[in-house]
Amino acid sequence: MSAIQSQDSTLLSFIAAVKADFEKSLRILTETNTLSATRTFQAYVRVPNQKLVVALTPPDLWKGETEARAVVGTFEGEIVHGAAAAGRQGSRYAPIFEANTDVHVVIHVHTPYLGGWASSHRVLPILYAAAQRHTLAREIPVYVDRRPGEPAFINDAIRTNPHTPAILEANGGATFWGQSIIEVSKFILNLEEGAYFQGVAEYLGGSKEFGPGVLDQQWSMGFVKKQDSAA
């Protein structure tokens, strides 16, 4: 039974808003064939000013569900709203939220071509202009040794390079993080497209480094321009 009372309108409104963003992103990523057939797409959203996380998962089509499921849990994993679902609710990525105050959403996703790179255990260099436009990181690291745990690996990756936006999960999918479900989902689409093009390029001798001026051009169109406008 939910511990969130109906009078807590601010939190309930927040849940409704992130659920709407999740369902929009799920629809677009499905329609663009970005998601794999299993539609593994899980979002974990920090509740502002509280140690709570909204965990969102797609509707189970095998059960005839039509709406995404939203569960609210504490960083310790206690469910305070909604029914239990996969992903350990708030505790799964709590160490990332605790260590990185500027991370507001973490998304775990399975996509065909990022999944291919993940299975190869190869770091993914970002050599697709449309993806590079949105991050100053030049590569996506791959998480192979699972013994320390995924959150620890992600925190280490962020400490090594604060601009790192995602990791590949060896023999699995990928995990992304950022400011909002919509922003992160747009980058998932772009990076999956880049992984596809770079995979095709493997048959033609491999993707090459950007030519002169490309990085400055792309960053002025995307990441750097956005950062400047927010300053």
Side-chain angles (χ1 to χ4, degrees):
M1 189 172 181
S2 173
I4 297 177
Q5 303 300 316
S6 59
Q7 61 264 31
D8 193 347
S9 58
T10 300
L11 181 53
L12 291 174
S13 295
F14 181 79
I15 296 169
V18 297
K19 183 179 177 183
D21 284 348
F22 179 82
E23 290 181 327
K24 178 179 182 178
S25 297
L26 175 64
R27 176 178 57 80
I28 292 172
L29 295 180
T30 299
E31 290 177 353
T32 55
N33 296 316
T34 300
L35 297 184
S36 62
T38 57
R39 298 204 316 166
T40 299
F41 182 61
Q42 304 156 358
Y44 301 82
V45 186
R46 181 202 300 268
V47 176
N49 305 314
Q50 298 189 55
K51 287 193 171 184
L52 295 175
V53 174
V54 182
L56 300 121
T57 52
D60 188 333
L61 301 182
W62 293 105
K63 295 180 179 179
E65 294 176 352
T66 57
E67 290 188 12
R69 290 169 287 176
V71 178
V72 181
T74 66
F75 282 6
E76 292 73 33
E78 178 188 358
I79 298 171
V80 299
H81 178 75
R88 299 192 300 280
Q89 290 77 47
S91 66
R92 179 171 182 178
Y93 293 112
I96 298 171
F97 292 127
E98 291 180 313
N100 304 279
T101 56
D102 57 338
V103 172
H104 296 284
V105 59
V106 178
I107 294 179
H108 183 70
V109 62
H110 287 195
T111 66
Y113 290 92
L114 289 174
W117 281 89
S119 289
S120 76
H121 291 205
R122 292 169 59 188
V123 168
L124 174 64
I126 302 177
L127 295 171
Y128 178 49
Q132 187 64 84
R133 189 176 304 158
H134 299 285
T135 177
L136 294 176
R138 294 304 321 283
E139 64 181 28
I140 305 299
V142 57
Y143 166 52
V144 179
D145 183 352
R146 299 198 183 195
R147 289 172 294 183
E150 186 185 15
F153 182 86
I154 290 173
N155 283 337
D156 284 345
I158 294 172
R159 278 191 291 269
T160 300
N161 181 358
H163 300 295
T164 303
I167 64 164
L168 301 178
E169 177 194 48
N171 305 96
T175 301
F176 292 72
W177 52 89
Q179 296 293 306
S180 71
I181 291 175
I182 298 295
E183 175 191 274
V184 174
S185 296
K186 287 180 178 179
F187 186 62
I188 290 171
L189 191 154
N190 279 333
L191 194 64
E192 168 66 9
E193 189 168 80
Y196 166 68
F197 288 139
Q198 290 177 223
V200 171
E202 292 284 300
Y203 296 97
L204 303 171
S207 299
K208 306 305 181 185
E209 185 52 77
F210 294 122
V214 175
L215 288 174
D216 288 340
Q217 176 200 57
Q218 295 304 312
W219 285 333
S220 68
M221 294 169 62
F223 185 86
V224 173
K225 181 177 179 181
K226 181 171 65 176
Q227 292 294 97
D228 289 344
S229 65

